[in-house]
Amino acid sequence: MSTLERTVSMMKVLPETDLVKIMHLTEKLFKLRECELNDKVGNFLKPMTEDDFLRDIENAEKQFANGDYQEMGEAIDEICQQLGI
C-alpha cells in the first residue's frame, strides 16, 4: 500500500473537524514549497540596483498615499488563486 493510499484510508475514518485541520496543514505545506521554489528561481534573477530599489519605494509610497494597496493576506490569497494553489 502506498503512502497516499494509507493516508487516504486513515482520513476516511476521521471526523470533519480533523479533516479541516489536515487540509489547512496541507495548504501550508504547499505554500512553503511554493516559497522554496520561488527562492530558487529568485537566485537566477538579476540583482536589484540601489536606484531600482529607491524607485520601487517611491512608487510604493505614492500608491499607499493614494489608497492603492491591499492587505498582505489578501494579496497572497489572490496570487495563490491566480496560480491555482
Side-chain angles (χ1 to χ4, degrees):
M1 184 180 281
S2 73
T3 304
L4 177 60
E5 291 168 332
R6 291 180 65 196
T7 303
V8 170
S9 68
M10 288 184 285
M11 290 175 63
K12 286 180 179 179
V13 297
L14 292 174
E16 183 70 18
T17 54
D18 289 346
L19 294 174
V20 169
K21 290 176 187 176
I22 292 170
M23 179 186 69
H24 289 303
L25 175 61
T26 304
E27 287 172 344
K28 287 180 184 179
L29 289 171
F30 266 86
K31 288 177 184 177
L32 177 62
R33 297 288 184 253
E34 184 69 24
C35 288
E36 289 173 355
L37 176 62
N38 288 339
D39 287 345
K40 290 177 184 175
V41 171
N43 291 335
F44 296 102
L45 300 176
K46 177 184 163 198
M48 182 181 275
T49 66
E50 183 177 347
D51 288 339
D52 292 336
F53 179 77
L54 294 173
R55 187 173 33 258
D56 284 354
I57 294 295
E58 184 179 332
N59 288 337
E61 288 174 340
K62 288 177 186 175
Q63 290 172 337
F64 183 78
N66 293 331
D68 186 20
Y69 62 92
Q70 198 173 25
E71 294 295 327
M72 175 73 82
E74 293 173 6
I76 290 172
D77 289 343
E78 186 178 304
I79 291 168
C80 288
Q81 196 172 35
Q82 290 172 355
L83 295 174
I85 52 175

